Amino acid sequence: MMGPAHSLSGAAAWLGVGAAAAAAGHAMPWPVLVVGALICAGAALAPDLDHKSATISRAFGPISKTLCEVVDKLSFAVYKATKSKADPRRTGGHRTLTHTWFWAVLVGAGCSAAAMFGGRWAVLGILFVHLVLAVEGLLWRAARVSSDVLVWLLGATSAWILAGVLDQPGHGANWLFDAPGQEYLWLGLPIVLGALVHDIGDALTVSGCPVLWPIPIAGKRWYPIGPPKPMRFRAGSWVEMKVLMPAFMVLGGVGAAAALNFI
């Protein structure tokens, strides 16, 4: 899928988790619901770090472009080192390592650890990166025509404000994990979810997605998971733009209302 659909699906997924958490008796404070949805929207773009033309490659100027080139080469190297005889030959790393459950969990766990042990500046850094990505994905039309600096300033300002709100008693710094020293441990959850939602979205397209690597399936370690081929669509097609994106908006709205006990 394309960037905007990925971000919308990520936000909708976290709002759905908020509804489920409320039903299970672990209701999210509204700042956790809002911040988590924005982080998840941004994280849903991150697996395309292996694609030099993806939205994330433009998000932070030369830094993100260089990072995408490095990750592409790393992913390709991992693919070559671990592929089976049944896996096809490739010339690049797109839709390999960063499109797996392993990568999602690794990045999410790393961000949780950084938030818990790195203090306020680590939290601000995580929020800044994902809020910039959320702007690039959710407000992509405005982001394309505006200055990168303005997008970065919006991300930095929003990160500072939202971190201040979360720090207030009862606003969610210790949501779900309330033992001393576990503040912001939950920040990795929307990051894992966003990456997995991205992978599921890509699995619906014609190329599929090897989300279960390194589990071998049909003799392949990089088996492209997906529905039957007649049910798949091309990225950017009318199915994505006219069906899935409106559906994500509706589902996100319902999830938010349920999470806040409006329905």
Side-chain angles (χ1 to χ4, degrees), residues 10-22 28 33 193 251-252 254-256 259:
W14 184 257
L15 295 172
V17 169
M28 297 178 183
L33 188 69
L193 180 62
L251 292 173
V254 172

Side-chain angles (χ1 to χ4, degrees), residues 66-239:
T66 301
L67 182 60
C68 283
E69 292 177 359
V70 171
V71 173
D72 176 39
K73 293 178 180 177
L74 171 64
S75 298
F76 185 43
V78 172
Y79 179 83
K80 289 194 298 182
T82 61
K83 76 180 187 73
S84 68
K85 293 182 179 179
D87 288 307
R89 291 186 177 183
R90 300 179 61 98
T91 58
H94 182 46
R95 287 203 187 182
T96 54
L97 179 61
T98 61
H99 286 69
T100 65
W101 69 269
F102 176 82
W103 179 270
V105 172
L106 180 66
V107 174
C111 287
S112 281
M116 191 169 62
F117 297 113
R120 180 174 177 80
W121 287 108
V123 171
L124 287 171
I126 293 168
L127 290 177
F128 169 70
V129 169
H130 288 91
L131 290 176
V132 168
L133 292 177
V135 171
E136 292 282 355
L138 298 175
L139 304 177
W140 64 278
R141 293 184 186 276
R144 290 284 177 86
V145 298
S146 66
S147 165
D148 286 343
V149 175
L150 290 178
V151 175
W152 300 339
L153 286 174
L154 177 59
T157 303
S158 300
W160 188 271
I161 293 172
L162 291 173
V165 172
L166 287 169
D167 280 341
Q168 295 178 19
H171 278 196
N174 60 348
W175 173 73
L176 199 60
F177 303 98
D178 56 6
Q182 292 186 346
E183 292 81 7
Y184 293 108
L185 184 60
W186 62 268
L187 275 186
L189 297 178
I191 294 171
V192 174
L193 180 62
L196 292 177
V197 167
H198 178 111
D199 297 343
I200 293 170
D202 279 355
L204 298 176
T205 64
V206 293
S207 300
C209 185
V211 62
L212 295 180
W213 176 87
I215 300 171
I217 300 175
K220 297 181 179 180
R221 288 202 176 276
W222 297 91
Y223 186 85
I225 298 295
K229 289 188 177 181
M231 298 176 62
R232 303 186 189 190
F233 59 88
R234 293 190 178 278
S237 69
W238 67 270
V239 175

